[in-house]
Amino acid sequence: MHERRGSRHSNVRSVVENGWVTIVLARNSPTEVVASSVDAHGELLGEATVLPFDRLAGFVAEREGAPEPERWVWSDSSRWYGDLLNAGVRVRRCHDLRLSHAILRNSTLTAHTAFARAEPSAWDQPVEPPSAHVAPVHSTLFDLGETMASGRSAAREDSAAEYRRQLQALAEVPDAGRLRLLLAAESVGALIAAEMRHAGLPWRTEVHDALLTAELGPRVPYGTRPARLEELAGRIRGILGDQSVNPDSPQNVLKALNRAGLMITSTNRWELAEYSHPVIAPLLEYKKRARLLTANGWTWMDQWIIDERFHPDYVPGGAATGRWATSGGGALQLPKQIRAAVTADPGWKLVVADAAQLEPRILAALSADTAMAAAGRGTDMYAGIVASGVVESREHAKVAMLGAMYGATTGESGRLMPKLTRAYPRAIRLVEQAARAGERGEHVTSWLGRSSPAPGADWQEAQRLASQPGASAAEESRARSRARDWGRFTRNFVVQGSAAEWALCWMGEIRNGLRAIEERSSTPPGRLATASGAVFESLPHLVFFLHDEIIVHTPEEHAEEVAQTVTEAAAFAGRLLFRDFPVDFPLGIAVVDRYSEAK
């Protein structure tokens, strides 16, 4: 570790710890930013730099180009990083205080610390991400802590103080390596989310329009039913003999079906599919096409596709398990009907990759079940389970495994569970123990340290009533049902949460690998300029993520190298989390022009 004096911008001092310089950024006023160097314990080093907001990008760019790269500490990547990207500046590494705060406040690993036991503060309040359709407004860039304090030193010290508190909490955790890795992975995920939002997913509106026209009929004014839907609506009314049926109203449809003698209790497509009646097929077809119109129709295209790019609002850690969510655009639900619209730019390719049977492989590693890991080594895991003689078919293997992870105890899954338990006792024991903990209202924790939330007030009240002397049979039954439901959640939480951690590490290493390709690239800047913006105009970059699947948009000349990078990153993520445990993380990978061609 050594000290380096500040640049010509300021008197900022920096301590290099493990090759990284740490600088806390905080909003000082509507027009000023404070940059404070801190040491390995989060303690401030001398006087901070105060600079106008319009000089922040230059300051960050210069520091990123210094011999020792920076670790930027800031309140919320979704509030800070977009403006830097718009100014053409990327950062290598950050510590996202808001995301890290949520993990440390709720993890069972930190439950004994003063940090976890402290009264709620502004850092515990949710922050709405900025809209993808509103240009960055400097006055909206703020530091969470500054809502609680005024004055230069108070604003400066709150983010630094929060960083110190987080470091202290980590220092109080024995063997905190996994938890530190989780915070680093969560923070780099926030950078990736901002970069993907900035670059956008390549989109062709003319292709999208043609796909919608083929599925729905020509475009009509908003609020008007397209021709194909109107045709299906007519068929539904004719079969039911009722011209008043409105297929867009579930209540109306349900009443019409009941009048026709179908004692259906909901219009859920799974329930509808169980019935044999001439109206079922056109009704299911109508629901499918109407969903496309509502979720990804012309109105969606007008709102979300800007300059041939889809810019969704990703929300890292948006689900309790750590999976991402979206606050707009529905990036996590792009139906197959429109994937052909996701098209690489001329001279570019899409590298599409998804992790095969990710959650079962994660379960094998979590439980150290070597027999289950061996079933997937070098092959499709479900096929490997069949080859091991555990079940008769790949479909049986998939049903049984999903039942084990999601708590299905009846039907085909329930029948197959004993076979799975005998073959893979460690894996099944782990999810069963997680389920029992949930039924008792206890927390469970992922591999790196994210913990499940406590059950809600309704759950607590149901258990309280059932435990009272003289509790009724109905109250006891309700409590057992609620307990089982929460047990199914915690059963899956440990697997899904750990899979989300693997995915973050995978993407983080892909990002590192793409940067290495960039540094070796001889492609002149601007030769393959795209609508992805100046930051990514000629370089491979991540543009899409969905739980266990990614897309990289890359110049064609780098496509094979990118595919290799993505593959190696999956293996690296496995070693990073599970060291030398013998579990594979194979990918399905394709280099294509259109997303629809990948599967």
Side-chain angles (χ1 to χ4, degrees):
M1 185 172 71
H2 64 278
E3 184 178 296
R4 177 166 61 87
R5 294 285 175 180
S7 71
R8 59 183 173 85
H9 280 288
S10 68
N11 58 353
V12 169
R13 293 194 304 164
S14 302
V15 168
V16 180
E17 180 74 21
N18 297 326
W20 294 90
V21 173
T22 300
I23 300 178
V24 179
L25 294 181
R27 192 72 181 195
N28 189 44
S29 76
T31 59
E32 286 185 336
V33 174
V34 178
S36 307
S37 291
V38 297
D39 65 16
H41 304 288
E43 297 294 337
L44 297 172
L45 293 170
E47 291 298 317
T49 295
V50 180
L51 62 155
F53 181 86
D54 60 10
R55 290 180 59 193
L56 175 62
F59 174 81
V60 173
E62 180 174 336
R63 304 289 296 198
E64 281 287 319
E68 301 90 2
E70 314 294 350
R71 178 197 288 110
W72 303 97
V73 178
W74 50 42
S75 58
D76 187 330
S77 297
S78 69
R79 297 282 169 172
W80 286 89
Y81 195 30
D83 289 294
L84 294 174
L85 288 168
N86 288 338
V89 178
R90 277 185 297 168
V91 304
R92 291 177 182 267
R93 186 174 177 183
C94 81
H95 180 92
D96 189 302
L97 290 169
R98 179 180 62 84
L99 292 173
S100 298
H101 181 94
I103 291 170
L104 293 173
R105 282 283 279 179
N106 299 305
S107 177
T108 57
L109 303 181
T110 57
H112 64 286
T113 67
F115 185 89
R117 298 195 306 269
E119 291 297 316
S121 70
W123 291 97
D124 295 288
Q125 300 302 313
V127 177
E128 289 295 325
S131 169
H133 306 296
V134 178
V137 178
H138 295 167
S139 61
T140 66
L141 182 71
F142 65 91
D143 189 340
L144 290 171
E146 293 161 50
T147 63
M148 303 182 295
S150 61
R152 175 172 299 177
S153 62
R156 161 194 168 187
E157 291 173 0
D158 186 78
S159 287
E162 171 64 17
Y163 185 50
R164 286 196 300 275
R165 288 190 291 266
Q166 293 186 14
L167 292 178
Q168 180 59 37
L170 286 168
E172 295 172 21
V173 176
D175 191 19
R178 289 184 186 175
L179 198 52
R180 292 179 187 276
L181 175 56
L182 175 56
L183 300 188
E186 189 86 339
S187 294
V188 77
L191 295 180
I192 292 169
E195 290 170 355
M196 290 198 298
R197 178 187 173 216
H198 173 83
L201 183 64
W203 205 275
R204 296 295 174 268
T205 52
E206 73 277 7
V207 174
H208 190 170
D209 178 71
L211 292 169
L212 292 176
T213 300
E215 291 282 331
L216 304 170
R219 184 171 186 171
V220 294
Y222 178 75
T224 305
R225 189 177 282 135
R228 182 65 178 126
L229 287 182
E230 190 59 53
E231 176 191 339
L232 287 166
R235 287 178 57 194
I236 292 167
R237 293 174 185 137
I239 293 170
L240 293 175
D242 185 348
Q243 293 304 306
S244 68
V245 175
N246 176 9
D248 296 313
S249 170
Q251 295 81 6
N252 184 279
V253 169
L254 191 60
K255 290 178 181 179
L257 292 173
N258 291 162
R259 286 195 297 270
L262 295 173
M263 294 299 102
I264 296 175
T265 58
S266 81
T267 57
N268 182 291
R269 63 190 180 97
W270 302 111
E271 183 171 352
L272 289 173
E274 294 177 359
Y275 289 80
S276 177
H277 188 279
V279 78
I280 298 299
L283 186 56
L284 288 174
E285 188 66 22
Y286 185 96
K287 287 172 66 69
K288 176 183 175 182
R289 293 174 191 256
R291 169 63 181 167
L292 174 63
L293 176 64
T294 302
N296 301 102
W298 290 283
T299 300
W300 178 90
M301 183 173 67
D302 292 343
Q303 179 182 5
W304 287 97
I305 307 304
I306 301 172
D307 295 331
E308 301 295 273
R309 289 293 187 272
F310 172 34
H311 300 272
D313 289 329
Y314 290 104
V315 183
T321 59
R323 275 188 167 187
W324 286 16
T326 59
S327 63
L332 305 183
Q333 298 176 355
L334 291 182
K336 291 183 179 180
Q337 296 127 297
I338 62 168
R339 290 184 181 181
V342 181
T343 303
D345 291 343
W348 291 63
K349 291 287 186 180
L350 301 177
V351 177
V352 182
D354 66 282
Q357 304 94 43
L358 176 59
E359 289 190 358
R361 295 173 190 278
I362 290 291
L363 175 56
L366 290 177
S367 60
D369 196 314
T370 54
M372 180 180 284
R377 193 164 304 126
T379 187
D380 176 290
M381 176 171 274
Y382 299 136
I385 291 173
V386 174
S388 299
V390 179
V391 293
E392 297 78 18
S393 69
R394 186 184 186 280
E395 184 61 27
H396 283 171
K398 184 175 182 179
V399 167
M401 189 61 68
L402 292 177
M405 293 187 295
Y406 287 88
T409 57
T410 59
E412 191 71 356
S413 180
R415 182 184 73 82
L416 295 168
M417 273 298 294
K419 296 182 178 181
L420 208 64
T421 301
R422 287 192 296 271
Y424 311 121
R426 288 190 175 188
I428 304 306
R429 185 183 308 120
L430 184 144
V431 290
E432 289 293 338
Q433 288 174 344
R436 301 293 85 77
E439 291 171 4
R440 296 190 296 269
E442 298 171 1
H443 299 280
V444 295
T445 299
S446 67
W447 182 249
L448 293 184
R450 191 190 306 269
S451 294
S452 63
D458 290 347
W459 189 96
Q460 301 287 354
E461 180 64 9
Q463 307 310 311
R464 186 189 69 79
L465 291 175
S467 66
Q468 299 297 313
S472 68
E475 288 171 333
E476 292 176 348
S477 176
R478 186 181 307 112
R480 286 194 297 271
S481 176
R482 295 286 178 84
R484 286 194 297 270
D485 288 345
W486 198 253
R488 280 191 287 272
F489 166 69
T490 53
R491 170 192 293 271
N492 182 246
F493 182 96
V494 291
V495 180
Q496 190 178 104
S498 302
E501 292 162 357
W502 178 92
L504 285 174
C505 294
W506 180 38
M507 282 202 299
E509 185 61 14
I510 291 172
R511 183 175 184 259
N512 290 339
L514 297 181
R515 188 144 190 160
I517 292 173
E518 169 191 340
E519 292 169 352
R520 296 192 300 268
S521 175
S522 59
T523 302
R527 184 175 71 82
L528 293 171
T530 73
S532 298
V535 174
F536 302 111
E537 66 177 359
S538 301
L539 305 166
H541 52 281
L542 281 156
V543 292
F544 184 72
F545 170 55
L546 175 60
H547 305 324
D548 58 3
E549 181 176 358
I550 60 93
I551 300 177
V552 175
H553 192 215
T554 178
E556 186 170 4
E557 64 198 71
H558 298 307
E560 292 305 321
E561 188 177 5
V562 167
Q564 184 64 30
T565 295
V566 169
T567 301
E568 292 173 354
F572 175 85
R575 293 193 302 271
L576 186 63
L577 266 66
F578 305 114
R579 303 300 180 188
D580 58 353
F581 184 76
V583 61
D584 291 344
F585 292 98
L587 303 178
I589 194 162
V591 178
V592 296
D593 293 311
R594 293 183 174 183
Y595 185 20
S596 57
E597 298 168 354
K599 293 183 179 180

